[in-house]
Amino acid sequence: MDITRRNFIGAAAATAAALGSAAALGGLTGCTPQPEASKPAGDAKAEGADVSANATALNPQDEGYTTNTTDFSALFEPLPMGAITLKNRIVKSPAGSDTWAPEGDTLNDNFLDYYENFAKGGASLVFVESSISKLMAVKPLEQAATGWLLDDMSKIPQLMAPVTERIHKHDAYAGFQIGVGMLTEDTTVINDMTPENIAWLKDLIIEMSVQLKAAGFDVVELHCAATQILKYMTVARTNKRTDEYGADTVENRTRFICETIQGIKEACGQDYPVQILMDAVEENDASLGNSDGFLSLEESIADALAFEAAGADTFYLRLSVPGRHIAQFAPDLMFTGYQCEGATGFGTRADFSQHFGGIATGQYSGCGLLLGATAAFKKSLKKASVSCAGYMDPRTAPDLMNNAVAQGEIDYLMITRPLTVDPELPNKLQEGRHDEIAPCCRCMHCHAKGGPAEYASDGKEYCRVNAVTQRAYTEEMPEGYALLPAEQPKKVMVVGGGPAGMEAARVAAQREHEVSLYEKKSSLGGLVSTARAFKGDHERLGDLVQYLSRQQEVNGVEVVLDTEVTADVVSQATPDVVVVAVGGARETHLEATGSVNVVSVDTLVGSDIGESVVICGAGAQAIDCALFLLAQGKKVQMVHEGAKEIIDKEQSMWVRAFVIPHLYSQGVKIWNNAKIGSLTDEGLSITLSTGEEKTLGCQTVLECYDMMPNTQLADELGSAYEVHTIGDCDTPFDIAQAIKMGNLTARAI
């Protein structure tokens, strides 16, 4: 099959179309820019491509979910919640941050600044993670006879008041999530707890709520979802008790949580808001359809009605997937990977019209996945407000989010990832600066801990787009979140308009340097534009290019396109500093034969691709190409000269945990620790890890090795200038590392 440039124009040229310039893949002409309301940002699709029926029949997507009519009015309506009234409907959810590192009885600067930034950026309510539990190690079978737990809790007001003061300073409310221990499904804790244990745990939560209120927290959330003790009290498959706390009736299975809510209200005041984080519906993702004993929507609504009657003011809903916990609060991971929506991480794909009780809203690439569930809850509850997890991003899908609130499907948005990328999201949205909001790419590098062992990473968490997140106050960025002005403004020339170059130019300009950005192509984006063509639009890479391009304009960067920079061009520009970000170099080792052709990532589009393809390499680019080729109905094998553990190493471990099992299930064989040989008329010869020779029959070989550094220009410039190499031309890896290098380098100039 010929994957023609004509057929591929939608995928390859979309970024250029949005920017009004020629496409990143050579030879494509850019389209006329479309109004944002009629053409969503980042709408990439391989128009006319022969995508297999199997890939598209399941969970068809509505690609218009990102429309923006610039009406955000519903999102900025006030919302009563117990004794407080939120100024808008955008709330920072209580996700972990990796910033908690108190120094004795004093909160560290990173923690304080991190949470203050959300309030400063316009969030109406900022939930703080369950950080105190890290100090207290709550265990429900331990008694409080020694009083040490209560002694620790008595320190909560003094310890935590500084963070609530920081949040309140910006006309926002502070919330705290109370989590009291995670269990495995086979635990006997729930059934072994004595009445005294239960009373102790209830009193513990109530006392903690009292101390949190004294610390200035305006709302407490009870974590009753996922694998928390409170969740398992309500589930028949884990709660086998035969007393009044058993799971045989609604009254009994909800009794503990209801009594806890009532105790908090009695101790803190009847108008003190209590939020319940709970699962709306479950599916046995590890064995799809085998879901006896898993929560139905109707069961969860019945529980919620009991909680509301006990005094709960608001509900935060999740989709429960016990096999891959990460997807409980990031269910959009089930949509990562080209044309494999519904991936479970177990080599299967959920059918959202059937699984999860058919309630999941699965046509928006994971955005708003639980809107159907929130609407059902709201129809049943009397007055409590409702929100949900699941990439409720008003930057990516402004109309979808605004209309959901306006039409009564949901009351407020609980988000963390979009706010972590850009804490100013609410303010920018309200001010009509949508195009200045940094986009979350859903890459999940921000949750790089605790994953499946087979996809484990080095445990470092960071944001792809916001290089400051989780680097502030470290050795790399000791100044914290502040961007300090340059001691001496300089004339800075940035060469290369990919993510590294655009980030370096943006930050350098904000520090008051005089900055020019040169790009040899007729549009900005670099390799991101190519990646977007093969990855599709789930990761919003088109939005990233648009955002970084807009930042050049906002910050006064001079952008020079269609100019290949040489040493002579640099000399004529007379810069003080040159930042080289020209991208990495590709290698080729194979020569085509009469029956087997050889292509690269850059030439894949427009080449005659046979039905059987062997990919040399197993990095992120190779995996993305494999997914793309599978969607075209190709048979794919991969040859990897490295170890299995580093397949797709540039991606987050969570993306790997969903994508790689999907590849395996589609018949993709990855030959790890194999040696690439040469091409014959039958295919590619390799040497297996066990020493045997093997020929992989194919019509096409795609060479997609790890990229190599490209320092030629920097070497030519020598010592005549202050020269920095960043991104793939220095250390080829991924978008996140490129942006990091651009940011840190610009901070150091």
Side-chain angles (χ1 to χ4, degrees):
M1 170 193 168
D2 179 11
I3 304 179
T4 66
R5 295 183 184 274
R6 176 179 56 82
N7 288 342
F8 202 64
I9 191 169
T15 298
L19 296 175
S21 55
L25 294 182
L28 289 176
T29 303
C31 304
T32 302
Q34 300 297 311
E36 193 168 13
S38 61
K39 184 176 180 58
D43 182 22
K45 180 182 179 183
E47 297 174 2
D50 183 21
V51 179
S52 67
N54 181 58
T56 57
L58 197 60
N59 306 315
Q61 297 296 291
D62 176 359
E63 297 179 356
Y65 76 95
T66 61
T67 57
N68 176 18
T69 59
T70 70
D71 177 13
F72 315 127
S73 57
L75 295 177
F76 293 95
E77 288 292 324
L79 175 68
M81 184 182 288
I84 65 177
T85 298
L86 306 187
K87 64 183 178 182
N88 62 48
R89 307 301 180 95
I90 301 176
V91 175
K92 160 68 176 69
S93 65
S97 67
D98 244 9
T99 63
W100 171 261
E103 300 160 1
D105 293 333
T106 304
L107 292 177
N108 52 297
D109 289 338
N110 191 9
F111 185 85
L112 291 170
D113 285 358
Y114 178 82
Y115 283 104
E116 181 180 4
N117 284 341
F118 297 121
K120 188 187 302 183
S124 60
L125 169 59
V126 177
F127 272 99
V128 176
E129 62 201 272
S130 298
S131 46
I132 294 173
S133 63
K134 299 173 184 177
L135 292 179
M136 294 175 34
V138 176
K139 297 179 181 178
L141 293 185
E142 292 183 1
Q143 296 298 309
T146 62
W148 71 269
L149 272 175
L150 293 178
D151 285 344
D152 274 355
M153 282 198 291
S154 69
K155 299 177 182 178
I156 290 175
Q158 178 182 356
L159 176 67
M160 300 302 291
V163 72
T164 61
E165 291 170 1
R166 292 277 199 101
I167 293 169
H168 290 156
K169 185 168 64 174
H170 302 284
D171 192 28
Y173 292 105
F176 193 93
Q177 180 191 78
I178 299 177
V180 289
M182 298 178 69
L183 305 174
T184 59
E185 292 225 359
D186 59 356
T187 185
T188 63
V189 167
I190 300 299
N191 303 312
D192 292 344
M193 291 174 73
T194 66
E196 291 77 17
N197 295 144
I198 291 175
W200 168 82
L201 182 58
K202 179 176 63 178
D203 290 343
L204 175 74
I205 297 171
I206 294 168
E207 176 64 17
M208 188 182 295
S209 300
V210 170
Q211 299 295 343
L212 288 167
K213 181 182 180 183
F217 286 99
D218 307 286
V219 185
V220 292
E221 176 186 272
L222 299 183
H223 193 336
C224 309
T227 59
Q228 289 282 320
I229 291 173
L230 301 189
K231 153 72 176 291
Y232 282 161
M233 291 288 288
T234 68
V235 179
R237 72 175 186 274
T238 53
N239 183 351
K240 307 298 182 182
R241 301 180 68 92
T242 58
D243 61 5
E244 67 271 28
Y245 291 101
D248 54 327
T249 66
V250 176
E251 182 180 12
N252 283 348
R253 72 181 184 239
T254 62
R255 186 182 304 278
F256 178 83
I257 296 174
C258 287
E259 289 179 349
T260 303
I261 295 169
Q262 292 165 345
I264 294 172
K265 292 287 187 173
E266 291 171 5
C268 297
Q270 293 300 318
D271 60 352
Y272 187 67
V274 175
Q275 176 162 285
I276 302 297
L277 167 56
M278 63 182 292
D279 295 325
V281 63
E282 283 187 314
E283 179 63 47
N284 184 357
D285 54 326
S287 181
L288 285 174
N290 183 18
S291 295
D292 282 359
F294 288 73
L295 290 173
S296 67
L297 178 70
E298 292 74 17
E299 185 179 354
S300 294
I301 289 176
D303 291 351
L305 286 169
F307 301 151
E308 183 184 41
D313 300 276
T314 180
F315 291 87
Y316 175 29
L317 306 182
R318 279 186 178 178
L319 191 77
S320 182
V321 276
R324 284 285 186 254
H325 170 75
I326 187 75
Q328 304 220 35
F329 56 87
D332 44 302
L333 266 169
M334 300 175 76
F335 295 77
T336 196
Y338 191 84
Q339 294 287 347
C340 51
E341 292 85 4
T344 63
F346 296 95
T348 56
R349 291 175 65 192
D351 180 346
F352 291 115
S353 70
Q354 295 288 103
H355 297 116
F356 300 101
I359 195 64
T361 306
Q363 66 267 38
Y364 304 136
S365 196
C367 190
L369 196 64
L370 276 175
L371 284 176
T374 59
F377 266 69
K378 282 183 59 63
K379 287 180 181 177
S380 300
L381 295 170
K382 293 179 173 59
K383 63 176 182 178
S385 54
V386 182
S387 188
C388 67
Y391 201 67
M392 303 297 292
D393 184 5
R395 190 217 62 83
T396 295
D399 288 350
L400 179 64
M401 295 296 107
N402 190 75
N403 293 343
V405 173
Q407 295 167 11
E409 297 176 288
I410 193 169
D411 291 301
Y412 58 104
L413 311 182
M414 290 282 278
I415 58 178
T416 284
R417 284 176 288 161
L419 289 176
T420 302
V421 178
D422 195 335
E424 294 184 76
L425 183 155
N427 286 344
K428 288 180 179 179
L429 200 65
Q430 190 170 26
E431 294 165 5
R433 298 160 57 204
H434 178 269
D435 60 351
E436 295 181 37
I437 302 173
C440 172
C441 293
R442 304 198 269 192
C443 62
M444 296 306 296
H445 286 297
C446 56
H447 288 276
K449 293 183 179 179
E454 64 269 34
Y455 305 113
S457 68
D458 59 8
K460 293 181 179 179
E461 298 182 338
Y462 49 83
C463 176
R464 172 187 279 179
V465 178
N466 185 346
V468 182
T469 299
Q470 289 145 336
R471 291 191 180 93
Y473 295 106
T474 66
E475 291 183 4
E476 291 181 309
M477 204 175 288
E479 68 272 22
Y481 294 88
L483 187 60
L484 304 178
E487 293 182 5
Q488 177 63 51
K490 297 179 179 179
K491 187 176 182 181
V492 178
M493 180 181 188
V494 180
V495 185
M502 286 194 285
E503 177 71 358
R506 178 187 77 86
V507 174
Q510 288 185 359
R511 296 189 62 228
E512 301 177 3
H513 291 298
E514 179 186 344
V515 183
S516 58
L517 173 63
Y518 286 72
E519 167 57 44
K520 69 178 180 180
K521 295 180 181 178
S522 56
S523 64
L524 299 175
L527 191 56
V528 173
S529 299
T530 304
R532 178 187 175 205
F534 294 108
K535 295 171 79 71
D537 264 338
H538 176 77
E539 295 184 27
R540 313 310 306 166
L541 294 182
D543 294 5
L544 176 59
V545 172
Q546 289 188 29
Y547 161 74
L548 288 172
S549 299
R550 171 67 174 141
Q551 286 297 300
Q552 311 310 306
E553 180 181 358
V554 168
N555 291 291
V557 175
E558 178 190 9
V559 176
V560 182
L561 300 175
D562 297 308
T563 302
E564 184 166 5
V565 174
T566 63
D568 287 340
V569 173
V570 174
S571 176
Q572 293 172 13
T574 65
D576 300 309
V577 180
V578 181
V579 179
V580 181
V582 294
R586 296 195 185 276
E587 290 188 310
T588 181
H589 303 295
L590 301 173
E591 293 186 8
T593 68
S595 56
V596 181
N597 64 328
V598 178
V599 298
S600 70
V601 174
D602 300 319
T603 62
L604 178 59
V605 176
S607 296
D608 184 15
I609 306 299
E611 295 306 305
S612 181
V613 182
V614 172
I615 300 176
C616 295
Q621 294 182 36
I623 294 294
D624 289 339
C625 287
L627 288 165
F628 175 78
L629 289 168
L630 278 179
Q632 317 305 315
K634 306 301 182 183
K635 304 297 183 184
V636 178
Q637 297 185 77
M638 306 181 74
V639 184
H640 181 212
E641 294 193 327
K644 179 179 181 179
E645 291 73 24
I646 60 171
I647 293 172
D648 205 13
K649 61 184 179 296
E650 300 91 347
Q651 289 281 23
S652 71
M653 66 181 187
W654 286 119
V655 169
R656 298 199 300 273
F658 282 79
V659 164
I660 295 175
H662 175 74
L663 289 178
Y664 292 153
S665 73
Q666 299 302 302
V668 174
K669 171 64 177 176
I670 304 178
W671 302 92
N672 296 300
N673 294 306
K675 180 71 174 177
I676 297 170
S678 59
L679 279 180
T680 69
D681 287 337
E682 287 73 37
L684 177 67
S685 66
I686 66 172
T687 303
L688 302 179
S689 60
T690 52
E692 292 82 13
E693 301 290 329
K694 183 177 180 62
T695 297
L696 306 181
C698 60
Q699 289 83 49
T700 300
V701 171
L702 169 62
E703 289 190 291
C704 196
Y705 315 109
D706 292 348
M707 297 188 76
M708 302 298 293
N710 177 14
T711 61
Q712 180 179 348
L713 175 61
D715 294 341
E716 289 178 5
L717 296 178
S719 59
Y721 308 90
E722 178 185 336
V723 179
H724 303 270
T725 54
I726 61 173
D728 284 349
C729 77
D730 178 87
T731 308
F733 199 71
D734 62 12
I735 298 170
Q737 294 304 309
I739 289 178
K740 166 197 168 181
M741 293 175 72
N743 191 293
L744 292 177
T745 298
R747 284 172 176 261
I749 295 174

